[in-house]
Amino acid sequence: TSITSAKIQVNGVHLHYQQTGEGSHAVLLLPGMLGSGQTDFGPQLKFMNKQLFTIVAWDPRGYGQSIPPSRDFPPDFFERDAKDAVDLMQALKFKKFSLLGWSDGGITALIAAAKYPTLIHKLVVWGANASVTQEDVRIYNGIRDVSKWSEKVKKPLEEMYGHKYFAKTCEAWVDGISYFAEKSDGNICQQLLPDIKCPTFIIHGEKDPLVPQAHAEYIHKHIKGSRLLLMPEGKHNLHLRFAEDFNRQVEDFL
């Protein structure tokens, strides 16, 4: 099945999305920091079951092809993304849908599932966290300077954004996410986790250098009835590196 690419106006911005499959079960893929459907979900758009699922991958505002506007990080940027994501799916006429969120997209998905429970069918998150610790801030500052990134990770993003926008947005993200650590409990969305009522599957790579395992365990503990899968060899991008295994696990769950 081909992958269509289009834009639709949502909450005053033109959001870009890719769509494929004709299944009755709609699934939204939510990318990570600086991510887009194109950079973050190639193996999912290509290989997930097109008979069972209709798959939508979106570019959050200021990311991918959803520019303009330029990306910014106000204190409520995760809530804003969650509302944009849900409103996008409604604009596309999906009454109920599942969320697959990676990294920042996982945080967005947690918030969306908690705030819009009647719309969300099932939830899968990986590489996500509900709070920011001082240790996390140290890790984020380690990736602040994009010139130090590996070529493999850097190249697709530089091609998409140009070096200047990519570098500037990464720095702004580090500042934006570090803001949460200034609160007494580092909270992003901890208080919302008990409100998530849909079936939830949390996946974590045991070798994830960006998100310590304690975050996945915390989310699992606070979402009633959720399932946690640890992938011993998985890093942050386990859905790309181990796409076949990941897709199978997720399809079985959905």
Side-chain angles (χ1 to χ4, degrees), residues 11-29:
N11 300 329
V13 295
H14 289 90
L15 294 175
H16 177 263
Y17 66 95
Q18 291 169 288
Q19 186 174 328
T20 186
E22 58 261 347
S24 58
H25 188 158
V27 176
L28 177 66
L29 307 177

Side-chain angles (χ1 to χ4, degrees), residues 72-230:
D72 61 349
F73 300 94
D76 66 345
F77 75 90
F78 285 117
E79 281 82 4
R80 182 181 68 183
D81 282 350
K83 184 171 173 21
D84 281 349
V86 166
D87 291 350
L88 166 75
M89 290 301 274
Q90 293 203 288
L92 295 176
K93 303 284 186 272
F94 295 110
K95 288 189 171 60
K96 205 165 180 174
F97 45 92
S98 292
L99 302 173
L100 264 65
W102 176 39
S103 199
D104 269 19
I107 301 172
T108 301
L110 291 168
I111 292 169
K115 287 192 160 182
Y116 310 97
T118 57
L119 301 175
I120 310 306
H121 183 45
K122 292 186 177 183
L123 172 65
V124 182
V125 296
W126 65 105
N129 45 298
S131 65
V132 177
T133 66
Q134 290 304 325
E135 164 68 0
D136 296 327
V137 172
R138 193 186 61 71
I139 294 170
Y140 302 147
N141 277 303
I143 62 164
R144 177 188 285 273
D145 180 358
V146 298
S147 68
K148 294 182 180 149
W149 288 26
S150 78
E151 265 316 299
K152 196 167 155 239
V153 180
K154 190 165 66 175
K155 198 164 180 262
L157 293 168
E158 282 200 324
E159 282 169 3
M160 173 160 288
Y161 295 115
H163 178 76
K164 194 176 159 198
Y165 187 91
F166 170 42
K168 187 184 79 181
T169 307
C170 182
E171 287 192 17
W173 175 83
V174 173
D175 293 338
I177 193 123
S178 299
Y179 155 84
F180 294 102
E182 291 165 23
K183 302 188 200 174
S184 58
D185 51 0
N187 179 42
I188 303 176
C189 61
Q190 289 171 314
Q191 77 291 356
L192 293 175
L193 299 180
D195 297 343
I196 297 174
K197 304 294 183 228
C198 65
T200 301
F201 186 22
I202 302 138
I203 305 173
H204 190 76
E206 291 189 35
K207 294 184 175 173
D208 190 330
L210 288 174
V211 180
Q213 193 170 311
H215 284 302
E217 288 165 355
Y218 182 94
I219 294 168
H220 172 48
K221 188 177 155 195
H222 290 87
I223 299 178
K224 209 178 160 181
S226 65
R227 230 177 97 191
L228 174 63
L229 170 71
L230 297 175

